[in-house]
């Protein structure tokens, strides 16, 4: 079972991060576009950029920051930030059939790509991987 921690609820215009030493939620910076889904990181992973693996979580409601969420991976967007791999996992809340019925996966991917293209200069966006390939990448970076 994969568990994620929410840092940014859907709709916020602020980039929050969990401080590694204290566990506190810290406001990192404002962002120019509201985030189109819930955003956080996958627990017990260490990506190539030195941080836990990022995840965008599709749900019909925003999830409070610091909420632990069981997730079902549906894909991954390959990205580079400052020359380091900084991939973004795409997921649903595990068992949330209502969100799966209400949220079109193609639209979720397109909205996430739009957000990434507009949220940070210098972020290189690559291919979108299917769930199986994404799972292999997650296993590779699991501690």
């Amino acid at each position: 079972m994969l568990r994620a921690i929410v840092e940014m609820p859907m709709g916020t215009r602020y980039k929050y991060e969990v401080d590694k030493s204290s566990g506190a939620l810290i406001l990192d910076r404002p962002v120019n576009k509201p985030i189109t889904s819930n955003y956080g990181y996958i627990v017990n992973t260490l990506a190539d950029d030195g941080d836990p693996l990022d995840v965008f979580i599709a749900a019909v409601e925003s999830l409070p920051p610091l909420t632990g969420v069981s997730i079902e991976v549906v894909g991954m967007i390959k990205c580079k930030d400052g020359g380091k791999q900084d991939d973004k996992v795409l997921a649903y809340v595990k068992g949330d059939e209502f969100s799966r019925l209400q949220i079109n996966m193609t639209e979720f991917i397109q909205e996430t790509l739009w957000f990434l293209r507009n949220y940070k200069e210098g972020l290189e966006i690559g291919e979108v991987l299917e769930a199986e390939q994404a799972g292999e990448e997650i296993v590779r970076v699991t501690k």
Side-chain angles (χ1 to χ4, degrees), residues 38-56:
N38 298 285
Y39 173 85
Y41 64 90
I42 298 177
V43 176
N44 295 325
T45 60
L46 186 62
D48 295 340
D49 66 351
D51 290 327
L53 194 57
D54 298 325
V55 61
F56 286 87

Side-chain angles (χ1 to χ4, degrees), residues 55-71:
V55 61
F56 286 87
I57 306 166
V60 293
E61 296 182 22
S62 64
L63 301 170
L66 298 179
T67 299
V69 182
S70 294
I71 59 170

Side-chain angles (χ1 to χ4, degrees), residues 89-120:
V89 174
L90 303 167
Y92 282 112
V93 174
K94 188 169 183 66
D96 184 357
E97 294 306 317
F98 185 74
S99 288
R100 288 185 73 88
L101 291 171
Q102 296 297 314
I103 299 170
N104 177 288
M105 185 48 54
T106 301
E107 290 176 11
F108 172 52
I109 293 168
Q110 292 306 312
E111 288 174 355
T112 304
L113 287 167
W114 174 87
F115 176 78
L116 290 171
R117 288 185 187 111
N118 289 284
Y119 131 91
K120 187 174 184 184

Side-chain angles (χ1 to χ4, degrees), residues 122-134:
L123 184 67
E124 299 173 41
I125 300 169
E127 67 181 320
V128 177
L129 303 181
E130 299 286 329
E132 185 175 332
Q133 294 171 295

